[in-house]
Amino acid sequence: MNDYTPYVAAVYVLAIAIFGGYTFRWRASWKKLQKQLDDHEQGIP
Amino acid sequence: MNILKKIQLPTGILTWITLIAGVWLVFNVPDDFQQGGAVKILYIHVPSAKMALLSYLVVTVASILHLWKRSETADILAEAATSVGAAFTAMTLASGSIWGKPMWGTWWAWDARLTSMLVLLILFKGLMVLRHSLDDPVKGARATAILAIIGAVDLPIIHYSVVWWRTLHQPPSLSAGSNAGIHIAGPLLTPLLILTVAFMLLTLYMTTVKARQIEARRRLDALETARMHADE
């Protein structure tokens, strides 16, 4: 039987990179925007 | 949009639980007698494909609501689901390609299923580009909604491509009806079902996060526009 481990590993690593990466990026962006909104509410330029 | 704040944390927790359970099962069930270990790729590929199609369906419904009710909430949901759907479509194509190399001997084939999924990715990307290419965000939202509704014709083409055409791609892995699709043995079906649920929760979680980011950005843009007009 052929060894498919490199192919399987590549898919799972890619899944973590894509889904984890985008989620992390969007959360970080949201937190930054929320801070700017909070600063604006408090009158901080 | 307060509902997004309420559901984000519980959705995230449930996503982690189902993902861990599903992946644990994947690496603790027998391999397929024909595919060997390569079957483990399909536990990511199949749910990703389902979520890609589900995301586009959400984009279509949200776009109809936006055009009909002029709902900004629907537009935010459409924009969020577009980004999430693009990620799942990319993962579907990438995982399918990596599976295809050892199984079919090729990274790619201009097969009906693969080609129509590639069209879906191009549609998602096209929606993102179109929205931001127009200076007026209201016009951008309307144009994007119209394109999304027209592009929905790709969904039944993708779904029925393996039925309508003689394709390299196998018939559906999960289908209603006892004669439809492929028969999957119980031990191999359980992790597939659990990971499908996990990916549904992941889709919901990612859409929630993205929608909150979009809403915050729009609120900030509106405040900055108001400040500019006040200064004039």
Side-chain angles (χ1 to χ4, degrees):
Chain A
M1 184 73 74
N2 293 328
D3 181 18
Y4 299 110
T5 306
Y7 298 98
V8 173
V11 166
Y12 281 78
V13 166
L14 199 56
I16 293 168
I18 289 178
F19 300 130
Y22 275 117
T23 305
F24 180 79
R25 200 169 105 176
W26 295 338
R27 270 179 61 97
S29 171
W30 168 74
K31 284 186 176 172
K32 188 177 160 188
L33 290 164
Q34 195 56 52
K35 179 156 186 333
Q36 288 178 294
L37 283 165
D38 292 341
D39 287 347
H40 193 279
E41 263 179 34
Q42 290 169 25
I44 303 169
Chain B
M1 287 273 145
N2 278 331
I3 188 162
L4 296 180
K5 199 172 163 183
K6 285 181 189 166
I7 68 171
Q8 186 171 321
L9 181 60
T11 307
I13 293 169
L14 283 171
T15 302
W16 273 111
I17 292 170
T18 46
L19 275 175
I20 290 168
V23 172
W24 183 86
L25 274 173
V26 165
F27 288 95
N28 285 282
V29 296
D31 289 338
D32 182 75
F33 78 102
Q34 280 182 322
Q35 299 179 54
V39 74
K40 291 180 174 47
I41 294 174
L42 297 186
Y43 293 116
I44 300 293
H45 174 75
V46 172
S48 294
K50 299 275 179 218
M51 294 309 110
L53 298 184
L54 179 63
S55 294
Y56 199 92
L57 188 62
V58 169
V59 171
T60 307
V61 170
S63 296
I64 292 170
L65 276 172
H66 171 67
L67 290 175
W68 178 26
K69 300 282 187 186
R70 302 227 191 278
S71 161
E72 188 172 359
T73 303
D75 184 50
I76 290 172
L77 179 59
E79 189 178 350
T82 300
S83 296
V84 173
F88 279 97
T89 309
M91 188 66 225
T92 303
L93 289 169
S95 57
S97 179
I98 293 170
W99 180 89
K101 181 59 182 167
M103 291 292 118
W104 295 341
T106 181
W107 297 107
W108 182 260
W110 290 106
D111 158 275
R113 173 59 67 87
L114 275 69
T115 306
S116 51
M117 280 301 283
L118 180 62
V119 167
L120 187 69
L121 182 62
I122 294 169
L123 267 170
F124 275 127
K125 289 295 180 186
L127 290 171
M128 289 179 198
V129 168
L130 179 61
R131 179 181 288 276
H132 297 292
S133 67
L134 297 172
D135 288 334
D136 183 354
V138 172
K139 283 186 180 163
R142 282 184 65 83
T144 306
I146 292 167
L147 176 61
I149 292 164
I150 294 169
V153 71
D154 195 33
L155 291 184
I157 292 173
I158 292 170
H159 185 70
Y160 290 108
S161 58
V162 292
V163 175
W164 290 343
W165 291 284
R166 199 180 306 138
T167 63
L168 186 58
H169 193 285
Q170 65 196 55
S173 301
L174 292 170
S175 273
S178 55
N179 293 327
I182 299 167
H183 175 71
I184 305 177
L188 300 189
L189 184 59
T190 305
L192 184 59
L193 292 175
I194 290 176
L195 277 175
T196 300
V197 170
F199 272 49
M200 284 173 77
L201 290 165
L202 179 62
T203 304
L204 179 58
Y205 181 74
M206 288 176 73
T207 307
T208 306
V209 171
K210 183 63 181 169
R212 291 183 81 187
Q213 187 247 354
I214 292 166
E215 190 209 16
R217 193 194 69 227
R218 290 189 187 192
R219 278 171 53 204
L220 197 61
D221 286 347
L223 285 170
E224 282 172 1
T225 304
R227 194 195 311 196
M228 271 167 43
H229 287 143
D231 289 344
E232 281 170 3

